[in-house]
Amino acid sequence: MDLGITGKRALVCASSKGLGLGCARALAGEGVSLVMNARTEGPLMAAAEAIRAKTGVDVVTVVADVTTEDGRAALLEAAGDVDILVTNAGGPPPGMWSDWNREDFIAAFDANMLAPIALMQALIPGMADRGWGRVVNITSQSVKSPIAVLGLSNTARTGLTGFVAGTARQVAGQGVIINNLLPGIHDTDRATALDKGVVEAQGVTMDDARAARQGTIPAGRYGTIDEFGATCAFMCSQHAGFMVGQNILLDGGAVNTTF
Ligand code: NAP
């Protein structure tokens, strides 16, 4: 299928590794030029160079923390008039509901709610003026079904989801399509870090921790970043113009719901 986005330009936040990298690679594969971002220079440069070599698209890199105002200013300056925005950042640490104080909540809000909202507020007006735009926010399955140890994620991402639900319907008429993409467990550094937490807490091996988690996924495995990126690219495509304010779950069936 031709996604119809060759020649478009995308800002993909937090994209040197993991799910953001999967999205960047898939968009580049469709001929979309990129602004890629991470806080650590080496892996970002390596990821960008690999994409340039494979696809030939133009890739600009911005070493910045997307959760800070200065970081977002640098990203927005490099992004200019982008057609596509993929928001992403690292996830908050695990813990119990009683562990977190005000500062912990504010850090989670900054990363997983306020940063994507600020980027949308900055970039949607230009997309609307030009009559075309796509926004995909990487959130989590935790907005559909809470994950007990990820209360900070449950809280912050649900706030973002509410903002998107209202905003997507206000800008769709101007050609700007906003949706959220909800990962279940995918094979990334983040999943490995969470599995290590289980190893430490329960005294099991890494293989046992992973097997136990895979047992909770009807598909029987972790998702791949390429599968995730392909779905993201479709949501950024010409064909997604009637998909407004949706929360698309990619979880191998892990969340047990009818709708
Ligand atoms: P990952 O493999 O750890 O990759 C995170 C990427 O984001 C890296 O490129 C990292 O580079 C960059 N990054 C992190 N914090 C950043 C910041 N403040 N500013 C700019 N770049 C930043 O993580 P992932 O698994 O792809 O997860 C991405 C998001 O999806 C997270 O919010 C995670 O909680 C959520 N999620 C993941 C899963 C899963 O199974 N993987 C499931 C549900 C939700 P630097 O460290 O160099 O900045």
Side-chain angles (χ1 to χ4, degrees):
M1 185 191 286
D2 177 2
L3 297 188
I5 49 177
T6 302
K8 301 278 189 199
R9 194 151 179 273
L11 167 58
V12 186
C13 303
S15 52
S16 66
K17 295 179 182 176
L19 303 177
L21 175 60
C23 296
R25 285 204 307 226
L27 287 167
E30 296 300 319
V32 174
S33 61
L34 299 174
V35 179
M36 292 176 67
N37 152 252
R39 294 164 302 180
T40 317
E41 188 169 13
L44 178 63
M45 298 307 162
E49 192 44 46
I51 288 177
R52 284 187 202 105
K54 186 161 184 204
T55 66
V57 302
D58 183 50
V59 183
V60 172
T61 52
V62 181
V63 178
D65 183 340
V66 71
T67 69
T68 66
E69 269 194 53
D70 286 353
R72 285 191 296 277
L75 274 174
L76 289 168
E77 193 181 336
D81 290 338
V82 284
D83 311 288
I84 294 168
L85 166 65
V86 180
T87 74
N88 187 28
M96 286 313 295
W97 61 272
S98 48
D99 289 344
W100 301 304
N101 60 28
R102 178 179 167 78
E103 283 65 43
D104 298 322
F105 280 103
I106 291 192
F109 292 158
D110 271 339
N112 301 121
M113 182 175 83
L114 298 175
I117 289 174
L119 290 168
M120 283 187 271
Q121 287 178 322
L123 292 172
I124 287 172
M127 294 177 183
D129 285 348
R130 295 187 297 278
W132 199 95
R134 297 285 184 266
V135 179
V136 173
N137 299 292
I138 299 177
T139 65
S140 171
Q141 69 179 22
S142 70
V143 302
K144 291 253 185 199
S145 175
I147 300 170
V149 295
L150 291 177
L152 292 171
S153 171
N154 300 338
T155 309
R157 297 187 201 273
T158 307
L160 172 62
T161 306
F163 177 84
V164 167
T167 305
R169 289 163 173 88
Q170 294 173 61
V171 299
Q174 294 154 282
V176 182
I177 299 299
I178 316 176
N179 291 289
N180 302 321
L181 186 48
L182 284 53
I185 301 305
H186 283 71
D187 202 356
T188 70
D189 288 358
R190 165 84 174 164
T192 303
L194 291 174
D195 286 342
K196 275 189 189 145
V198 172
V199 168
E200 280 156 26
Q202 298 178 8
V204 294
T205 67
M206 195 66 178
D207 283 349
D208 288 342
R210 196 171 159 118
R213 194 119 75 119
Q214 278 174 346
T216 68
I217 304 171
R221 62 176 177 85
Y222 289 10
T224 71
I225 67 168
D226 290 335
E227 291 169 315
F228 192 85
T231 307
C232 176
F234 176 80
M235 292 166 73
C236 296
S237 77
Q238 296 292 357
H239 310 300
F242 207 52
M243 180 194 280
V244 174
Q246 298 302 300
N247 292 284
I248 306 299
L249 185 59
L250 270 193
D251 70 339
V255 175
N256 191 29
T257 55
T258 302
F259 293 105

